[in-house]
Amino acid sequence: QVQLAESGGGLVQAGGSLRLSCAASGRAFIGYVLGWFRQTPGKEREFVASINWSGGNIKFADSVKGRFTISRDNSKNTVYLQMSRLNPEDTATYYCAAEYGVVIITPEYWGQGTQVTVSS
């Protein structure tokens, strides 16, 4: 059974940092792109960042460029999202996603989500 388990969410003040982790299990993720999406109540889930298997193709949403970084440890099937200079607009539930290929278009797998709340 494939599972994506997010961790690292929480409450942080504006300007602070958090690191999210997503551990993937249940199958080999060779060739899979791993990424992050986020969603707030009443809004559609939006893309945040992604990284392909080799780490050579990394993408960010414009809203987080320069503040967030993404990395992965293939030996641990884990992807990380380092979030810095957080602002209240970053408050959302963050979801890990996986799809075979280089970029995420239609994720095959989703995590359950982890809440990030940024206070002003």
Side-chain angles (χ1 to χ4, degrees):
Q1 180 181 0
V2 173
Q3 286 190 327
L4 302 180
E6 302 100 336
S7 61
L11 174 65
V12 63
Q13 288 188 331
S17 300
L18 276 177
R19 188 176 84 153
L20 305 183
S21 300
C22 172
S25 61
R27 66 157 297 145
F29 282 88
I30 298 172
Y32 272 73
V33 56
L34 300 177
W36 294 91
F37 289 71
R38 65 187 182 186
Q39 188 171 24
T40 55
K43 293 188 177 181
E44 291 188 358
R45 193 169 295 188
E46 65 174 5
F47 170 79
V48 175
S50 67
I51 182 170
N52 73 325
W53 170 257
S54 69
N57 191 310
I58 293 175
K59 296 189 180 299
F60 293 99
D62 288 343
S63 59
V64 306
K65 280 181 182 176
R67 301 187 299 121
F68 291 11
T69 60
I70 188 170
S71 60
R72 66 189 287 170
D73 183 340
N74 290 332
S75 68
K76 298 179 180 179
N77 273 345
T78 299
V79 62
Y80 306 96
L81 185 69
Q82 178 67 48
M83 306 184 293
S84 303
R85 289 185 282 144
L86 287 160
N87 59 62
E89 289 69 38
D90 296 314
T91 295
T93 301
Y94 284 71
Y95 296 90
C96 181
E99 181 176 346
Y100 185 80
V102 178
V103 295
I104 284 186
I105 300 174
T106 308
E108 298 172 41
Y109 305 108
W110 289 98
Q112 293 298 308
T114 186
Q115 178 67 35
V116 172
T117 302
V118 184
S119 62
S120 57

